[in-house]
Amino acid sequence: MEIKVNFLDKLRLEAKFDDFTIVADQPIRYKGDGSAPGPFDYFLASSALCAAYFVKLYCVNRNIPTEDIRLSQNNIVDPENRYQQIFKIQVELPPEISEADRRGILRFIDRCTVKKVVQAGPEFVIEEVENLDADAQSLLTLNPASDASTYITGKDLPLEQTIANMSGVLADLGMKIEIASWRNIVPNVWSLHIRDAHSPMCFTNGKGATKESALASALGEFIERLNCNHFYGGAFWGEDIANATFVHYPSERWFKPGPKDALPADILDAHCLEIYNPDGELCGSHLYDTNSGNVERGICSLPFMRQSDGEVVYFPSNLIENLFVSNGMSAGNTLAEAQVQCLSEIFERAVKREILEGEIALPDVPHEVLTKYPGILAGIQGLEEQGFPVLVKDASLGGTYPVMCVTLMNPRTGGVFASFGAHPSFEVALERSLTELLQGRSFEGLNDLPQPTFVSNAVTEPNNFVEHFIDSSGVVSWRFFSAKANFEFVEWDFSGRGENSNADESATLFGILEDMGKEVYTAVYDQLGAVACRILVPGYSEVYPVEDLIWDNTNKALLFRADILNLHCLDDAALAAMLERLDNSELDEHSDIATLIGIEFDENTCWGQLTVLELKLLIHLALQQFEAAQELVGAFLQYNDNTVERGLFYQALNVVLEVLLDDELDLEDYAVNFCRMFGKARMDAVMGSVDGSVRFYGLTPTSMKLEGLDRHHRLIDSYKKLHMARASAVATAS
């Protein structure tokens, strides 16, 4: 069969064969429009569809209903060769199908033409499963031998047992984890990306010196983020959860604001209030949680134990989400292991911030010290051989903190990347600095690094630290590279000894914070089957500035969420009121609506790409305010990077509005050629938007019930698994 391919706009391609035409594109994250599947996506879908065809063929020939048959395919990437893949096809059959027909269906799947053509490359695994959503570990490429026991520093159990235990926890929750990608571009540096197959918005990255340690890292991070609800932060959890017995945790308490929106007396403590409300501007309404949006219920607050005296202090979940993000959370085989990881992370971020914003020059680690760690040195040499100079620095600030730094320079672009790692062990901290540097990165990805600067304001600007926190892509000062270090090198060691090493290290790290005069608050979460903890150090471990609680709080979603989701049902008065709120909110007009209201729209839809500017534009159109609409159309066309189809709609709208607003022009004189230029269907949409018969073109109707928002429902489904497990744990304990 001949297939002819035409090159369309941007990255879109058109393939023609027989009487069919298919269009391929790339996702938005790969610079495409996301308007169609990519070529590889079609390839993947072809084998699943072919397998399903043979299932259908078998069943039709034997009068077997297919309504209750489910089939899925996952492609599993080999960690050492991304071109070597396993295609796992799973079929779920209803109990009424006979054993003979079960075997026959599996044999028929084996006849798949696509499979036979590509069999020289990919390996296919065909199996029947009881439940497609179960068997979390089935998609993990690593299955360590049961008799192996690989211990690494910092873990209280062998890697093999750690992986098995964590996989079992996820399986018990009904989460099916898949490995999306592996990276190993220099010796002894591995990273991988894992995600929930049902809800891919839930993902983590792992890193380590081996495949096994990287997988354990990724699984641990996944479990920590489940326990701390991080995957679901900022999102609306739906009305059912909002009105459930508990929203976040069974131990939560709700407090009503006092008179004149005063903070409730039972939240935070004097120490925290001094940090978070120094000028008395913080109000109760600033602390309503975004996830439930249930302001009638009050302020959802979570219990933390004050380390200094064991007293319980309630922190609003909103405050934690807004200021701390994912900093200070960890899971482990034991609580002490989790605490060491958690505290190490807090020191890593805080010391990194102190160094970068203070433009501190760090001492080099002597070569004779590096030679003690040949595995790490091999990874560094691998980068050097690829043309990337590497600086290995002691970031302990004179032996005060357990932090190291590995900085990469890219002479081809002039960019730099300062990566930090922390742990009571000098070796582990150094290894983490290196593996963090290359986590999820290719050599090509190192070409996007920012250039250093002597402009101090660029380094100290608060958002720069946020960029460093997210992916270490922030700006670094040239002063950081001075050969004249601000501190002497110290070959420090905070590690514990013997069987209780993690407990000793945890006590040491808590002690450092105590000596600094910091108050520490801890919470332990073990209701999901694994031990996790969250540690807050007010005034030290926040990621975002405290001012965000007042000026950029995520619960601004509550001002707009219901109206935006009910957009098609609003009358003109409600639309005008929402438009006024948008105008007065000082929102960035190019910020997306999905983030604003906490809804996971499909990014390839008009909802998924909707910005504040476009929403205001569409409201002006609905209100027949054409001059204001035209002004925003111009801004949209100039600055908004939307799909070609959406751009053409607004081009057509722009010329129609120009004619309508010019008393000397008559639309009838241009109608024919407008249709020839933009097409009749598009012009019908434009004219309908102008005359009021089409409202909010491209935005499918939904409501607070979230109709049609499959992607968001998958996120809520994921959270409901945790909610049910927590409720069950409480019921069992009582």
Side-chain angles (χ1 to χ4, degrees):
M1 178 176 67
E2 183 183 33
I3 302 173
K4 294 183 177 180
V5 177
N6 299 318
F7 294 91
L8 305 180
D9 55 280
K10 294 189 177 180
L11 298 181
R12 300 196 323 144
L13 304 169
E14 181 184 76
K16 290 182 174 289
F17 55 92
D18 295 339
D19 295 326
F20 302 103
T21 300
I22 62 171
V23 175
D25 198 352
Q26 291 293 328
I28 294 170
R29 62 183 179 276
Y30 295 141
K31 309 303 183 184
D33 287 327
S35 60
F40 189 66
D41 299 324
Y42 279 116
F43 168 66
L44 296 178
S46 67
S47 59
L49 291 169
C50 186
Y53 161 73
F54 279 96
V55 172
K56 184 76 171 180
L57 185 64
Y58 183 95
C59 293
V60 167
N61 289 338
R62 289 159 181 79
N63 294 316
I64 298 174
T66 57
E67 287 80 5
D68 295 324
I69 296 177
R70 302 171 67 205
L71 184 144
S72 76
Q73 174 184 294
N74 290 276
N75 64 308
I76 304 174
V77 184
D78 189 299
E80 299 182 355
N81 180 3
R82 68 189 181 97
Y83 297 109
Q84 181 69 43
Q85 301 191 13
I86 297 174
F87 280 28
K88 175 171 285 191
I89 297 173
Q90 299 176 311
V91 59
E92 177 181 324
L93 303 174
E96 59 266 25
I97 293 181
S98 69
E99 192 60 36
D101 283 330
R102 291 172 184 272
R103 292 193 299 270
I105 287 172
L106 295 182
R107 286 197 304 270
F108 253 58
I109 295 175
D110 196 52
R111 292 173 52 188
C112 170
T113 309
V114 177
K115 168 186 170 293
K116 291 184 178 296
V117 171
V118 302
Q119 205 159 24
E123 176 186 348
F124 282 71
V125 176
I126 301 171
E127 63 184 12
E128 177 188 348
V129 295
E130 291 295 325
N131 188 328
L132 289 175
D133 300 323
D135 194 12
Q137 199 169 1
S138 68
L139 301 184
L140 302 180
T141 55
L142 295 180
N143 293 299
S146 58
D147 57 347
S149 294
T150 306
Y151 282 91
I152 63 172
T153 304
K155 290 292 181 189
D156 285 330
L157 291 176
L159 285 175
E160 294 80 8
Q161 190 174 347
T162 299
I163 292 170
N165 290 349
M166 290 181 172
S167 299
V169 168
L170 294 169
D172 290 342
L173 288 170
M175 292 194 172
K176 193 171 187 178
I177 305 302
E178 60 183 7
I179 296 177
S181 64
W182 284 95
R183 293 282 186 185
N184 173 224
I185 61 175
V186 299
N188 308 316
V189 179
W190 288 85
S191 68
L192 77 161
H193 178 86
I194 66 172
R195 63 191 182 195
D196 181 351
H198 178 68
S199 179
M201 300 80 77
C202 302
F203 66 86
T204 58
N205 301 297
K207 58 186 184 292
T210 65
K211 290 176 287 189
E212 291 78 10
S213 60
L215 178 56
S217 167
L219 291 170
E221 186 174 282
F222 202 97
I223 289 174
E224 91 184 18
R225 296 186 175 206
L226 289 177
N227 274 280
C228 297
N229 292 341
H230 178 70
F231 288 138
Y232 319 99
F236 177 45
W237 295 349
E239 293 178 324
D240 289 345
I241 296 290
N243 294 296
T245 304
F246 67 91
V247 173
H248 294 257
Y249 300 97
S251 59
E252 71 192 21
R253 290 181 62 188
W254 294 74
F255 302 98
K256 294 288 186 72
K260 298 182 180 180
D261 203 14
L263 296 179
D266 295 321
I267 64 170
L268 303 174
D269 60 13
H271 174 74
C272 293
L273 288 171
E274 185 176 341
I275 295 171
Y276 299 127
N277 192 28
D279 302 318
E281 295 181 326
L282 189 64
C283 299
S285 57
H286 289 132
L287 300 176
Y288 291 133
D289 81 298
T290 308
N291 309 114
S292 74
N294 195 338
V295 298
E296 299 298 323
R297 204 166 177 176
I299 299 169
C300 183
S301 301
L302 311 178
F304 281 74
M305 186 191 76
R306 192 165 56 206
Q307 192 74 12
S308 61
D309 59 8
E311 289 295 315
V312 173
V313 177
Y314 281 89
F315 280 75
S317 63
N318 168 283
L319 182 148
I320 298 171
E321 175 190 298
N322 271 279
L323 301 185
F324 294 92
V325 203
S326 66
N327 197 22
M329 57 175 69
S330 186
N333 291 298
T334 63
L335 177 58
E337 180 187 313
Q339 287 176 329
V340 169
Q341 170 62 23
C342 199
L343 291 165
S344 297
E345 181 182 82
I346 287 172
F347 281 118
E348 173 193 321
R349 272 81 182 259
V351 173
K352 176 180 182 177
R353 183 172 202 159
E354 181 178 349
I355 291 168
L356 295 177
E357 293 185 354
E359 300 178 279
I360 295 172
L362 300 175
D364 293 318
V365 177
H367 185 72
E368 59 268 23
V369 174
L370 287 179
T371 57
K372 298 178 182 179
Y373 314 109
I376 296 173
L377 191 57
I380 293 169
Q381 290 171 342
L383 286 169
E384 295 269 4
E385 290 167 1
Q386 292 293 327
F388 298 103
V390 175
L391 308 176
V392 183
K393 303 280 189 177
D394 167 23
S396 68
L397 302 184
T400 306
Y401 306 104
V403 185
M404 296 296 293
C405 175
V406 174
T407 301
L408 176 143
M409 307 171 75
N410 188 343
R412 290 184 285 274
T413 64
V416 299
F417 183 174
S419 175
F420 290 74
H423 189 269
S425 162
F426 185 98
E427 179 182 8
V428 174
L430 180 55
E431 178 188 290
R432 287 181 176 176
S433 299
L434 179 61
T435 55
E436 174 70 23
L437 178 75
L438 296 177
Q439 181 171 275
R441 286 182 170 85
S442 62
F443 287 127
E444 294 76 15
L446 297 174
N447 291 328
D448 297 330
L449 306 179
Q451 298 175 3
T453 180
F454 278 111
V455 180
S456 296
N457 288 343
V459 178
T460 58
E461 194 271 323
N463 193 59
N464 189 50
F465 175 68
V466 174
E467 294 297 324
H468 276 291
F469 173 80
I470 294 171
D471 59 7
S472 297
S473 64
V475 179
V476 177
S477 171
W478 267 119
R479 294 177 178 85
F480 174 83
F481 295 94
S482 173
K484 186 178 180 180
N486 296 102
F487 294 88
E488 295 292 326
F489 168 74
V490 176
E491 192 173 359
W492 50 266
D493 183 15
F494 295 89
S495 57
R497 298 290 183 268
E499 294 182 0
N500 297 318
S501 60
N502 272 317
D504 293 341
E505 291 168 0
S506 174
T508 297
L509 297 180
F510 276 124
I512 294 174
L513 290 169
E514 183 179 0
D515 292 342
M516 294 170 63
K518 301 297 181 183
E519 192 71 78
V520 180
Y521 303 80
T522 64
V524 178
Y525 302 115
D526 56 9
Q527 293 168 328
L528 301 183
V531 178
C533 67
R534 176 135 212 184
I535 299 177
L536 310 178
V537 188
Y540 190 69
S541 65
E542 295 89 353
V543 174
Y544 285 94
V546 171
E547 294 78 17
D548 280 6
L549 288 174
I550 297 173
W551 302 112
D552 193 23
N553 197 305
T554 58
N555 74 5
K556 60 181 177 286
L558 308 185
L559 294 172
F560 305 106
R561 180 186 289 154
D563 279 350
I564 291 175
L565 291 175
N566 291 314
L567 190 63
H568 289 270
C569 301
L570 300 184
D571 59 23
D572 287 355
L575 288 174
M578 179 166 63
L579 187 59
E580 184 177 4
R581 291 199 304 279
L582 287 168
D583 286 336
N584 294 335
S585 63
E586 299 184 359
L587 294 170
D588 178 358
E589 289 197 328
H590 301 289
S591 60
D592 61 274
I593 293 298
T595 301
L596 173 64
I597 65 173
I599 298 294
E600 283 285 344
F601 295 111
D602 184 336
E603 66 178 12
N604 298 323
T605 64
C606 293
W607 274 114
Q609 298 180 50
L610 184 67
T611 62
V612 172
L613 184 148
E614 187 180 2
L615 176 61
K616 291 166 67 174
L617 191 167
L618 291 171
I619 294 174
H620 280 302
L621 270 183
L623 295 174
Q624 305 284 287
Q625 298 171 353
F626 296 141
E627 289 185 2
Q630 186 189 31
E631 182 179 335
L632 293 179
V633 168
F636 179 94
L637 293 173
Q638 185 173 2
Y639 299 110
N640 196 292
D641 184 20
N642 212 294
T643 63
V644 172
E645 172 60 34
R646 202 67 172 163
L648 287 170
F649 168 78
Y650 282 114
Q651 285 184 45
L653 177 63
N654 190 46
V655 295
V656 167
L657 290 175
E658 285 192 26
V659 172
L660 288 176
L661 292 171
D662 191 325
D663 293 337
E664 297 182 1
L665 299 177
D666 191 332
L667 190 58
E668 289 186 4
D669 295 338
Y670 298 89
V672 173
N673 283 321
F674 281 175
C675 282
R676 295 183 69 185
M677 172 67 79
F678 298 109
K680 184 177 185 305
R682 189 175 291 116
M683 282 305 299
D684 285 346
V686 168
M687 295 309 299
S689 299
V690 169
D691 66 27
S693 61
V694 174
R695 287 164 67 88
F696 310 109
Y697 174 68
L699 303 181
T700 54
T702 185
S703 74
M704 288 289 281
K705 299 294 184 184
L706 309 173
E707 298 94 337
L709 303 181
D710 177 67
R711 179 179 171 88
H712 193 79
H713 277 292
R714 282 184 279 139
L715 183 69
I716 295 176
D717 288 346
S718 176
Y719 181 68
K720 284 182 176 178
K721 294 172 184 176
L722 312 187
H723 201 267
M724 291 174 60
R726 287 167 180 151
S728 177
V730 170
T732 301
S734 60

